[in-house]
Amino acid sequence: MIKFHTHPVYTKQQKDWALFKTLYEGDHDTIVSDTSILWPLYTELKVGDGVGPALLKERRRRTRYFNIPEIIISILVSFFFKSEPTLSEAAQELLGDAADDIDGQGTNFATHLKHALEHYLIYGKAISVIDSLNGG
């Protein structure tokens, strides 16, 4: 049986990263149903006869989230990539055809860099693990 190791930093940051991803994606239903983001008010928990849950439901329906993180990250990425990055001859030689398909799913190297930057700006760290190029 294969046993995988979970890095302690991942374990420590996992809840924060999930929150960052939720806020970045800005899905209204997820944001209003997540009690770590929109928690019930005291009166919504204490009022009886079903009124409290009805108040909470109405507040969730009326809550709006302006996805500021996504806007800021999109602007920063556009500043970094005003023009398409180019590979040096040495890098092009090293990567070969992989520069046009860096992940085996048709993603070119420049797009891969943009995704890495987005993840860095959202989560604070970005790691690319590359097993081998061209399956070799």
Side-chain angles (χ1 to χ4, degrees):
M1 180 170 98
I2 296 175
K3 194 170 190 177
F4 294 101
H5 170 74
T6 303
H7 196 281
V9 173
Y10 178 82
T11 304
K12 182 180 173 186
Q13 296 290 113
Q14 187 175 12
K15 287 181 183 176
D16 288 340
W17 287 337
L19 174 64
F20 299 160
K21 183 175 190 268
T22 298
L23 293 174
Y24 176 74
E25 291 175 348
D27 179 50
H28 180 265
D29 293 337
T30 303
I31 288 171
V32 297
S33 65
D34 186 341
T35 57
S36 68
I37 298 172
L38 184 68
W39 57 87
L41 298 174
Y42 179 78
T43 54
E44 294 166 344
L45 296 173
K46 295 298 179 188
V47 175
D49 296 332
V51 175
L55 290 172
L56 177 59
K57 183 177 179 182
E58 180 62 17
R59 187 165 63 93
R60 285 181 172 161
R61 187 185 69 77
R62 299 174 98 195
T63 296
R64 294 294 170 253
Y65 174 70
F66 300 105
N67 195 351
I68 304 299
E70 193 279 330
I71 295 167
I72 293 169
I73 288 170
S74 293
I75 290 169
L76 289 172
V77 169
S78 70
F79 284 142
F80 277 99
F81 292 96
K82 284 183 181 178
S83 60
E84 194 75 12
T86 57
L87 294 171
S88 66
E89 286 184 31
Q92 186 64 50
E93 185 177 325
L94 175 69
L95 291 173
D97 292 338
D100 296 323
D101 187 11
I102 197 74
D103 61 0
Q105 297 177 356
T107 306
N108 67 24
F109 188 70
T111 302
H112 176 73
L113 286 176
K114 288 177 187 177
H115 290 283
L117 177 61
E118 284 176 5
H119 284 104
Y120 176 77
L121 294 171
I122 296 168
Y123 305 112
K125 293 186 178 185
I127 299 171
S128 285
V129 179
I130 299 173
D131 184 17
S132 64
L133 294 174
N134 299 325

